[in-house]
Every structure is written in C-alpha cells, then in structure tokens.
Amino acid sequence: MTNPLYDTMFAPHAGQETPFLHLPDGSTVTHAAFINRAAQLAHALQGYGVRAGDRVAVQVGKCPDMLALYAACAQTGAIFLPLNTAYTAAELSYFVSDSGAALLVGDPARRGELEGVAHAAGAAFATLDAQGGSLSDSADTQATQFDTVARHRDDLAAFLYTSGTTGRSKGAMLSQQNLISNAQTLTELWQFTRDDVLLHALPIFHTHGLFVATNVMLIAGGAMVFMPKLDTDQLIDAMPRATSMMGVPTFYTRLLDDPRFDRACTANMRLFISGSAPLLAATHVAFEERTGHRILERYGMTETNMNTSNPYAGERRAGTVGLPLPDVELRIADADGSELPRGETGVVEVRGPNVFQGYWNMPEKTEEDMRPDGFFITGDLGVQDADGYVTIVGRGKDMIISGGYNIYPKELELLLDAQPGVLESAVIGVAHADMGEVPLAVLVQGDGPQIDVAAIEAAMATAVARFKQPRSYRVVDALPRNTMGKVQKVALRKEYGT
Ligand code: MLC
Ligand code: AMP
C-alpha cells in the first residue's frame, strides 16, 4: 500500500455509484462523486502550498466538502486538524499557532477575523462552506484524479485538540494506523455493511462523528443521512429509511421526550450506539421499553478512539461500557500502574494500535500520561466485573462533559481569576437534564472592586466557546479547602447541586 489510510478508507470506493451522503435537500452524493471531489480538493490544497506532513486546520460548518477535505488531506499526506465551529477567534489563534498549521480553512462569514488569526500565526487562509468559497471554487476546475502521495502507517493523519487539566489544550497526534485499526475493528464488531444507512447528526470535528461514525461507514461502504445538527424532527422523519444511529446521550433523552418516537418509528433500525458521555441506566431501560431496542454503549476518547464496546450479539448491559475491543488491552490500575483485582475501582489504562502517538510538542505531558510498558493512562475511573464488562464510575481528571463536549475547569478558572474583583475561582459541573452536566463558576470576592457578574459573562463570551461558558455564577467569601490547601470541589458540588 502506498498510503494505507487513503487506500483502506477511500480508494476502494472510487467508481462506487451507490449513495454515500443523503443531504437535507433530498440530493445524494455517491461514493464515486465523493472520491472525485476529494481529488479536486487535493489539487486545490497543493495549490495553497500544502505538502505531506503539513497541518491543515479546518473550522467550517458540517458539509460534504468538509468531509472531502478530510479525504483530500489523506490523499496529499497532510494532517487533518478539525476544530469546533463554536471556538472563538481567541481559541483558534492558539490552535493554529500551536500546531504550526500551514493553512487555516474557515467559514467565509468569519473571513475578517479568521484571516487575521491565520496570518498572525504564519498560516495561509482559505474559505470553505456549504455554498462554496475559495478552496471549493479552486477545486471546481481541477481534475478528478490525483496521484496519491505515499505515506506509511506510522505517519500522522490527524491532530485533535483536547483541553487539559493544566488549562492548556494539547494536540493529540493520531497516526494512520490509529485510525485504520479502530475503524476496522468497529466495523466488524458492529457488523456494518454496504447495506447500512447511518443517521449522522453529530458534529464532524470530534472523534465520535468523524473517526467513529464516518470512518466506520467509509470502511463499510454504506450511506449516511448527513444532518447539519441534532434535530429530533429530522431524525424521526428519516428513521424509517435508516438502519442505525450513533449519538451522545442527549440524542437519546431528546428522542424519548418525543411521543412520536416509538416502536413503529424504529422498526427498520438494527442498531443504536451511544458514547462520549455516561448514558444513564434509566435511559437505557426507558429506551428499550419504548422501542424494543437495547442501546449499545461504548467508551473512548480523543487520544485512543474507541476502547470498549458492549457486544453486538451478546448481552448489552445497561450502565456499563462493555468489554475491551478485541485488539485493545485494558487494565484497571492503581496510582502506580499496577493492575488491580477484578471488582476493584481504579484508573482505566489502555494499550493497543488505537493509542495515539503523543501530544504535539509536549513530550513531558506525553510521558506523564504514558506508562513505560505502553499503557495510556486515561484518567477515567473504572471497575471491571468478573465477565470483563467495564463500568466507568468517575473521573480522576477534573473535567465536565456537557452534551458530549469536554470542558476543563482549569481553562475557565485561569480566565476568571484574571477578572476584576476576583481573588480566585472554582468551576464545577452541576447536573443538567438535557446536557448531563453544565459548568457553574464559584467566584471569591477579593479586596478590589465589587465583582460584576454581567461584565464577567461578557468577557467569557469573547474568550471561550458558548458551550464552555458557565451557566451560572456564585460569589462567595472563600472556597472550601482541605488541610493541604486544595480546593474541595466535592464540597462545592454538594452545596451547589449534582
Ligand atoms: C450547544 N450548546 C451547548 C452544547 N451544545 N451547551 C452546552 N453543551 C453543549 N454540548 C449551547 C449553544 O451554544 C446554544 O447556547 C444552545 O446550547 C443551543 O445550541 P444548539 O446548537 O441548538 O444546541 P444543540 O443542537 O441542542 O446541541 C446540543 C448537542 C450538541 C448535545 C446535540 O452539543 C452535540 O451534538 N453534541 C455532541 C458532541 C460530540 O460530538 N461529542 C463527541 C466528542 S468525542 P445559547 O445559550 O446561545 O442558546 C468523544 C470521544 C468519544 O467524546 O468517546 O466519543
Ligand atoms: P474526549 O476527550 O472529548 O474524547 O472525551 C473522552 C472522555 O469522555 C473519556 O475520557 C470519558 O471520560 C468520557 N466518555 C466517553 N465515552 C463514555 C461513556 N460511554 N461513558 C462515560 N464516559 C465516557
């Protein structure tokens, strides 16, 4: 193979005249058309000076060209770096400069600010959106054949940024092998074939929507009903023509809130998969009662893609994330990395072809999270029962998951601490019926000016994406601390509600 990622995922579908994407306007993109489009975009990328190994940062709305750009990066050997469309210019500046991106591809509606971000970081800038834009326009006139650039399985294919407990985001480096191995394993395990039609309403800038949903459908050669975002009306309309869906728990709770969602609506479906955040056992049970389907829950993360899954054919146990994938080794370990006996709670550690290559330009951080024997320390707390089923019982890392998006309190606390009147701050996750949890900020009044919560909210709005912004604020005189002086977030959560 000259380029394992392209040759496994994309090349097999050249000339395949079956649907790949069903679009909201009723039109369809065939596999063959998608591959041709990727080749055109590969030429366009080269026109912008992109070469193998370059990072291509992409912040555009969900559209077929965004996916084709992923394929084009694979074909040119460039490293695909998708970014949440909710990120502010301030957040983007960090990602573009930290990654040393050669090109930033952005939404034309934000051209003014994004062009500035790109140029300040020494990157070129191009636009792309559903209606076209500079990169799409220059692709339109290109040939639909492109000489795939040779790459090796160990070459990097993608960077995904993940925030961290230190407040600084880290670029997780994923190799071709990381993506291929996991997609092949999942396709086989979940029995996806060309006959499948997957409801795809997830964003495509994260592991779930891109490296799980899309990669699996590419390997299988099936089709996706490609929806811009979660819309229960659209899901319910399309369900009778679909076979499967992947979503975060909010997808399932919102569907259950709709009385039209019932056995008849799901009669053609063979598989519902949930992940990215804990699915309540009660949701699993309610879903089965309503539809007769048992949701298949799996567990993964940006650095590892998927690690465990409930079985397709065997017992899907509510509240568990199932068994380690066939090619993934998993251990529940103590703080030193020694494996604990079954039934004891510890940190989940994993090893396998899915585990990433480290954090970009952060060798110390990589070393901190990786055991000498190759196990990656996930930071999740779990327990494995006698049958091997894993349950995630909590997080060793200080992290909030809101509607499937991770929020690291430290990033917000650093910003809040710098606000007028704030002596210090603590951000905690509080329960939220729709999103699972949302951030709440506790601010300590300092000696300076009186804290102005409205002004702080406005400052946070320009600093971080909306989903990260605290949903509520409390002003207090002091934070609860233990004898070591560490802020007791458990006490705060007890007081302000989880
Ligand atoms: C949107 N908003 C959120 C939010 N999403 N707030 C908190 N948490 C979220 N996740 C805010 C918007 O800014 C807006 O704020 C308001 O909610 C409505 O926006 P919306 O766009 O209409 O939201 P909605 O479509 O309802 O989106 C909710 C959602 C979406 C849960 C469907 O966030 C989503 O698709 N999440 C999936 C994330 C995902 O793919 N995670 C996988 C990561 S990979 P306002 O106040 O301005 O109205 C991973 C590894 C693994 O974790 O294992 O998979
Ligand atoms: P991310 O860094 O965005 O990829 O998020 C990964 C994190 O999401 C994991 O470390 C877990 O904490 C959490 N996660 C993913 N899937 C599940 C699941 N099925 N149950 C509980 N937590 C999950």
Side-chain angles (χ1 to χ4, degrees), residues 151-192:
R151 297 306 272 167
H152 188 268
R153 277 180 181 270
D154 295 332
D155 284 328
L156 298 178
F159 278 15
L160 286 185
Y161 272 82
T162 158
S163 293
T165 44
T166 57
R168 235 183 112 201
S169 281
K170 303 162 289 180
M173 302 186 287
L174 294 150
S175 69
Q176 290 209 345
Q177 171 70 357
N178 292 148
L179 303 185
I180 297 167
S181 65
N182 212 239
Q184 284 176 329
T185 299
L186 298 177
T187 307
E188 198 174 319
L189 194 73
W190 295 336
Q191 301 187 15
F192 276 95

Side-chain angles (χ1 to χ4, degrees), residues 162 207 274-279 297-303 321 378 380 392 395 397 399 401 404 406 408:
T162 158
T207 300
S274 178
S276 306
L279 181 78
E297 185 170 6
R298 84 330 173 252
Y299 154 74
M301 62 194 300
T302 301
E303 289 90 335
V321 294
T378 64
D380 291 310
I392 304 294
R395 287 167 218 145
K397 51 196 172 189
M399 180 178 96
I401 306 184
N406 292 359
Y408 281 83

Side-chain angles (χ1 to χ4, degrees), residues 86 201-209 212 229-231 248 250-251 254 275-277 298-302 305-306 401-407 434-435 437-439 465-468 471:
L202 286 160
I204 50 173
F205 43 70
H206 274 315
T207 300
H208 197 161
V212 184
K229 62 189 293 247
L230 174 59
D231 177 326
V248 299
T250 304
F251 280 44
R254 287 201 192 162
S276 306
R298 84 330 173 252
Y299 154 74
M301 62 194 300
T302 301
N305 285 353
M306 298 305 102
I401 306 184
S402 172
Y405 288 145
N406 292 359
I407 301 166
D434 188 36
M435 298 293 178
E437 46 183 354
V438 292
R466 174 74 187 115
F467 72 86
K468 292 185 197 169
R471 292 290 178 108

